[in-house]
Amino acid sequence: MTSAFPRSEALAARLVVLDETPSTNDMLVSAAADAAWPDLSVVVTDTQTAGRGRLGRVWVSPPGTALAVSVLVRADASLRIDALGWLPLAAGLAMTRAVRNELPGRDDVVLKWPNDVLVGGLKICGVLSELVVGAVPSVVVGAGVNLTMTQEQLPVPTATSLVVAGAEHPDADRLLSTYLGEFRGLLDAFRAAGGDAGASGLQAAVTDACGTVGSRVRVELPGGNILAGIARGIDVSGRILVQADGSPDLTPVSAGDVTHLRAR
């Protein structure tokens, strides 16, 4: 079945295309201990029956209407453990660029911190990364992007798809190959810089694509506390910097559920 993804197959170290699977992330997490799955192995399907989003949310879609893809990234001497938190941001940036490529007439495709992709303020893609601890630590980076869902098929009013956003004939292989190419390029530069997001240009590129920066936001922090203010930037650790209402200081946020209250 890989013939359906010839361009993507040329970019992946190993590409497995499944007719259906409960979760591409779960499959790759289970396979990570096997050396037969090298760095930048990819599992993809257009029918995922038990996908997961952030905070344990269920991610499902009608068969054949969305693309679920997981990429295995092996940590090595050039990618230290404390730099792995940048991988979902890099993946989100790569998918933002891939979606922009599919929607050339739109200028409102942005990255929402930490790793959602929005079109016109509506979510078209989410990214979920999982650390796999073993002899060689690895990260499985999963992404789910809505391709051909109609307005009626979208799970929530805040979601969209390529078709709803104006793409007449979404090309899954083109989208996936663009995503893999962008992700690989960002990862190569990041590794070459020893996992330094500033020196590699990753920090600046993510900040530039991030619609959260400059927006008024509401952040639900772990534990239930709420932080409201203006997102001012992204620091070298990948944290969003929020200037809380009434405060001159910037609060770094490493984890939280972000709502855009007003676009920049």
Side-chain angles (χ1 to χ4, degrees):
M1 188 179 171
T2 53
S3 60
F5 290 86
R7 287 171 287 188
S8 302
E9 189 175 14
L11 289 167
R14 176 179 181 180
L15 179 66
V16 174
V17 183
L18 302 173
D19 292 324
E20 178 181 306
T21 188
S23 167
T24 56
N25 258 31
D26 285 352
M27 177 179 174
L28 210 42
V29 166
S30 297
D34 187 346
W37 293 81
D39 184 56
L40 297 182
S41 291
V42 178
V43 176
V44 64
T45 186
D46 64 4
T47 304
Q48 182 171 250
T49 58
R52 289 172 288 115
R54 290 183 64 247
L55 306 177
R57 295 171 180 139
V58 176
W59 187 79
V60 295
S61 58
T65 62
L67 200 66
V69 54
S70 294
V71 181
L72 179 65
V73 179
R74 300 289 194 184
D76 54 24
S78 64
L79 193 59
R80 61 187 191 273
I81 292 294
D82 62 353
L84 296 180
W86 272 100
L87 295 185
L89 287 162
L93 173 59
M95 187 60 81
T96 298
R97 292 173 172 176
V99 171
R100 285 175 177 171
N101 188 59
E102 294 298 309
L103 298 170
R106 302 196 62 144
D107 60 2
D108 55 356
V109 182
V110 300
L111 175 65
K112 177 189 173 189
W113 186 91
N115 43 37
D116 286 345
V117 181
L118 307 182
V119 179
L122 303 175
K123 182 175 176 178
I124 197 168
C125 174
V127 176
L128 177 68
S129 297
E130 299 181 64
L131 178 65
V132 184
V133 178
V136 178
S138 305
V139 176
V140 173
V141 184
V145 58
N146 300 330
L147 299 179
T148 60
M149 274 188 251
T150 64
Q151 190 73 56
E152 294 72 30
Q153 290 174 319
L154 292 168
V156 291
T158 53
T160 191
S161 70
L162 285 175
V163 164
V164 172
E168 293 185 8
H169 304 289
D171 186 322
D173 186 31
R174 183 175 60 209
L175 175 76
L176 180 57
S177 62
T178 302
Y179 168 64
L180 294 177
E182 292 287 351
F183 188 39
R184 183 170 194 161
L186 293 167
L187 187 56
D188 285 349
F190 190 48
R191 281 175 159 154
D196 186 322
S200 68
L202 180 58
Q203 179 186 11
V206 168
T207 300
D208 183 62
C210 186
T212 307
V213 176
S215 294
R216 178 166 175 76
V217 297
R218 177 183 182 273
V219 185
E220 184 176 346
L221 301 169
N225 291 331
I226 301 297
L227 176 65
I230 306 293
R232 296 298 187 189
I234 297 172
D235 72 8
V236 74
S237 297
R239 300 176 298 181
I240 194 79
L241 300 173
V242 179
Q243 182 180 6
D245 293 337
S247 172
D249 301 323
L250 297 179
T251 300
V253 176
S254 59
D257 208 12
V258 176
T259 301
H260 289 186
L261 301 178
R262 185 177 66 247
R264 60 179 173 181

